[in-house]
Amino acid sequence: MTVDEVARVSEQVLDRVGTVVVGMRDALELALATILAGGHVLFEDAPGLGKTLAARSLASALGLDFRRLQCTPDLLPSDITGSYVFDPAASRFEFRPGPVFTGLFLADEINRTAPKTQSALLEAMAEGQVTVEGTRFPLPAPFHVVATSNPVEYEGTYPLPEAQLDRFMVRLSVGYPSRESEQQVLQNRVARRHEVATVEPVIDTTTLLAMQAGVETVHVDPDVVRYCVDLAAETRDHESVAIGASPRGSQGLLLVARARAVLRGRDYVTPDDVKAVAVPVLAHRLSLTTPAWAAGVSPADLVAQVVARVPGPPVVSRSGGAPAAEPSAVAR
């Protein structure tokens, strides 16, 4: 698919999801950009803000098979990946796939399950496969993980290890809706006369794969690549950061910025694309020093400081000259 086609279809997807998910256009655009970039999404916010509804609606609009797993402390890795079960009729053990064998897997309240179970997703997120008792089982393509996390409760929760956080391409915070958006949520509930809100598919998995291939054609100027590396490197040198963003972070920065450019109808990436996605891509990858953590320093604020003090490259276009006016944003 061409960039214009991807942008047009993406707008249709966001509009369709927006009929049931109100006041989350910016977060939904970043989530869609992450999926187009081939990544995984972590929604982290207070309960009741529509994170699960957003994930389910996005999966439906994209035509993806969707499975949801409510994470609990007694959940086992095999509850995610599947396991071998003895079949008396055939007198042998057969593999029964777990819920991770789907197009979009929602791990709801992932921080409520133990690290051993959380780690069951690492191989799936990184390599698109799971290994059970030494046997490799490939996952369907496309495959994406959307996880939700509740940061306001600590009893009965397990913080996500840094290695797992690094596998999520972006971490998004929804925030409370405006009064107008909250009023619209209530009006929508009254109008549909039942609890469950549904979204009809806009595309199928074949079209999604074509859209992802279209994103891969976007031009990235070497100066923009260097800018992504400079931002990631600056986080490693910040006085309040113990462990900065890894090369996976700089790569995620570039990939999400590229998808954002496509959503805006451009076949080239600008420095503004990189700046716009820097916080959701990099903030969750930072480990703060003890004094910074004790002082309540926010990783998001640190990334914003880094973006402000690292000089960006000249504005670039597909031809290398000054770009034309940017097309209207999908999420404007």
Side-chain angles (χ1 to χ4, degrees):
M1 295 179 68
T2 66
V3 167
D4 289 340
E5 290 173 335
V6 175
R8 176 179 55 80
V9 175
S10 297
E11 185 170 6
Q12 293 173 358
V13 169
L14 291 172
D15 287 343
R16 183 69 59 84
V17 175
T19 60
V20 298
V21 182
V22 180
M24 292 174 55
R25 184 79 176 201
D26 291 341
L28 287 172
E29 182 189 357
L30 274 172
L32 178 57
T34 302
I35 291 175
L36 292 179
H40 310 288
V41 181
L42 175 63
F43 278 106
E44 187 175 88
D45 220 319
L49 297 181
K51 303 183 294 294
T52 301
L53 176 62
R56 185 175 68 242
S57 301
L58 194 57
S60 298
L62 294 174
L64 293 171
D65 291 333
F66 174 78
R67 293 190 182 181
R68 172 182 178 270
L69 184 66
Q70 182 65 46
C71 295
T72 57
D74 60 348
L75 203 67
L76 299 175
S78 59
D79 294 327
I80 294 177
T81 62
S83 60
Y84 281 93
V85 178
F86 184 72
D87 183 0
S91 297
R92 65 170 182 263
F93 284 91
E94 293 185 351
F95 179 70
R96 300 287 177 85
V100 76
F101 287 82
T102 187
L104 192 147
F105 175 69
L106 173 62
D108 216 354
E109 294 189 298
I110 192 173
N111 60 329
R112 288 200 176 277
T113 193
K116 181 178 180 180
T117 303
Q118 293 175 8
S119 66
L121 283 173
L122 286 178
E123 182 183 12
M125 295 169 67
E127 303 176 30
Q129 67 176 34
V130 296
T131 302
V132 180
E133 296 186 16
T135 303
R136 171 185 174 274
F137 297 95
L139 297 173
F143 168 74
H144 299 279
V145 172
V146 175
T148 66
S149 178
N150 179 0
V152 298
E153 292 185 43
Y154 297 99
E155 185 175 353
T157 63
Y158 303 84
L160 270 66
E162 284 73 11
Q164 176 130 354
L165 281 173
D166 200 40
R167 299 292 181 182
F168 288 101
M169 192 171 281
V170 298
R171 181 177 64 182
L172 303 177
S173 179
V174 178
Y176 286 102
S178 64
R179 295 175 66 90
E180 294 76 12
S181 296
E182 190 168 357
Q183 181 178 344
Q184 186 63 49
V185 170
L186 272 60
Q187 289 176 339
N188 289 350
R189 171 61 182 87
V190 173
R192 66 175 178 266
R193 300 187 178 185
H194 55 83
E195 181 62 30
V196 179
T198 58
V199 172
E200 294 298 321
V202 176
I203 60 175
D204 55 20
T205 55
T206 302
T207 305
L208 177 57
L209 289 172
M211 293 172 68
Q212 292 175 335
V215 172
E216 293 290 342
T217 66
V218 172
H219 171 74
V220 182
D221 191 90
D223 284 343
V224 173
V225 175
R226 190 176 304 110
Y227 183 47
C228 292
V229 173
D230 289 344
L231 289 175
E234 185 68 18
T235 66
R236 302 163 198 160
D237 298 331
H238 197 283
E239 59 275 7
S240 297
V241 177
I243 302 176
S246 67
R248 187 182 288 120
S250 57
Q251 177 173 281
L253 191 59
L254 179 61
L255 295 179
V256 179
R258 187 174 63 176
R260 180 185 185 272
V262 173
L263 293 183
R264 280 157 169 69
R266 282 183 279 104
D267 63 351
Y268 59 91
V269 182
T270 68
D272 285 341
D273 292 320
V274 178
K275 294 176 182 179
V277 303
V279 171
V281 172
L282 296 180
H284 65 287
R285 305 175 192 271
L286 306 184
S287 295
L288 303 184
T289 61
T290 301
W293 178 83
V297 174
S298 166
D301 291 340
L302 290 183
V303 174
Q305 294 174 18
V306 167
V307 171
R309 72 189 192 185
V310 173
V315 177
V316 295
S317 69
R318 178 66 162 168
S319 61
E326 180 176 297
S328 298
V330 170
R332 190 162 292 167

